Amino acid sequence: SQQGEEDPQALSIQEGENATMNCSYKTSINNLQWYRQNSGRGLVHLILIRSNEREKHSGRLRVTLDTSKKSSSLLITASRAADTASYFCAPGGTSYGKLTFGQGTILTVHP
Amino acid sequence: SAVISQKPSRDICQRGTSLTIQCQVDSQVTMMFWYRQQPGQSLTLIATANQGSEATYESGFVIDKFPISRPNLTFSTLTVSNMSPEDSSIYLCSVGGGVPRGSYNEQFFGPGTRLTVL
């Protein structure tokens, strides 16, 4: 498995603003997953995007994938204080394979 | 998808003792993994729990310290043995690959077990 590198390390915004975080990886993938972790708790699965997909939506989340640049982005629109959390990307090789995590992006949304 | 529960959700233990963490999934899964998240750090994979055979450990983790069982496709345990304060972490179970194979590709995580070793 390979590790995704999230950028920025920390992001601070006001409620209602959009938040964009990026993920880069090094080698080709089958899919890429995004997760959210609230302080001290388990990871919540947000979205999986396959290597043949360029964009995927889920509620206020929009994920893009550019395999030529080996990068992905997660956009959270109209952010809320409850979106405050750490966000991780996980590039996937073979299906069901183990995942390697970077340090994540710490998002703080101020009311 | 899969719904995962872990027991206990948290515990405070004395050094030198052992704790067994249980992971239960509401449906059969192909893969089960155990991760550790030390304070302020990201997740690190401990091992892949294999049904009916020995777990596959990552570099730096050994069976004597972290014995793992996986008796069937919905249940696994991780034991943290002879604990020291350095073992204070969140331990997370993860599952991937629904049965039948290919029913979903996502990997899901349990709520975690927060362990403090005094």
Side-chain angles (χ1 to χ4, degrees):
Chain A
S1 63
Q2 64 174 307
Q3 179 174 310
E5 298 290 344
E6 296 89 353
D7 176 73
Q9 290 185 332
L11 182 60
S12 182
I13 60 174
Q14 294 296 126
E15 211 166 20
E17 295 180 340
N18 296 342
T20 299
M21 49 207 89
N22 304 296
C23 170
S24 60
Y25 56 92
K26 290 187 167 60
T27 62
S28 62
I29 59 173
N30 284 336
N31 59 59
L32 187 143
Q33 301 179 81
W34 283 93
Y35 295 89
R36 181 186 77 229
Q37 185 180 35
N38 294 91
S39 180
R41 309 189 68 171
L43 270 67
V44 174
H45 189 275
L46 297 177
I47 204 161
L48 178 149
I49 186 166
R50 293 180 173 78
S51 60
N52 61 355
E53 296 176 313
R54 292 296 167 257
E55 187 170 312
K56 203 162 181 180
H57 296 256
S58 177
R60 294 184 296 112
L61 306 181
R62 172 178 167 249
V63 168
T64 63
L65 179 65
D66 187 333
T67 53
S68 66
K69 294 181 179 178
K70 294 185 173 57
S71 67
S72 175
S73 68
L74 170 66
L75 168 68
I76 304 173
T77 60
S79 62
R80 306 166 181 167
D83 294 325
T84 295
S86 293
Y87 290 82
F88 297 92
C89 70
T94 57
S95 295
Y96 327 129
K98 57 189 180 182
L99 301 178
T100 304
F101 290 89
Q103 292 302 309
T105 292
I106 300 172
L107 172 66
T108 303
V109 182
H110 300 280
Chain B
S1 67
V3 177
I4 306 162
S5 60
Q6 284 185 234
K7 290 182 183 179
S9 59
R10 58 176 62 222
D11 207 341
I12 300 173
C13 301
Q14 297 297 319
R15 69 169 66 215
T17 63
S18 298
L19 176 72
T20 296
I21 302 167
Q22 298 180 2
C23 176
Q24 179 74 55
V25 194
D26 69 340
S27 57
Q28 293 183 329
V29 293
T30 305
M31 306 296 290
M32 295 184 80
F33 306 93
W34 286 98
Y35 289 81
R36 179 178 75 180
Q37 187 176 32
Q38 294 176 299
Q41 302 297 312
S42 186
L43 285 78
T44 301
L45 180 65
I46 297 172
T48 302
N50 300 310
Q51 189 212 352
S53 64
E54 193 172 287
T56 304
Y57 289 85
E58 297 298 305
S59 175
F61 297 95
V62 295
I63 188 172
D64 289 347
K65 176 67 176 176
F66 297 102
I68 288 169
S69 78
R70 189 180 172 192
N72 56 49
L73 294 178
T74 64
F75 186 78
S76 177
T77 66
L78 167 74
T79 299
V80 186
S81 303
N82 188 25
M83 290 183 285
S84 68
E86 291 70 36
D87 294 318
S88 297
S89 298
I90 299 172
Y91 291 85
L92 297 116
C93 170
S94 169
V95 306
V99 174
R101 196 173 182 88
S103 55
Y104 60 83
N105 291 318
E106 291 83 351
Q107 286 194 26
F108 299 101
F109 283 78
T113 295
R114 181 185 287 273
L115 171 62
T116 302
V117 184
L118 303 177

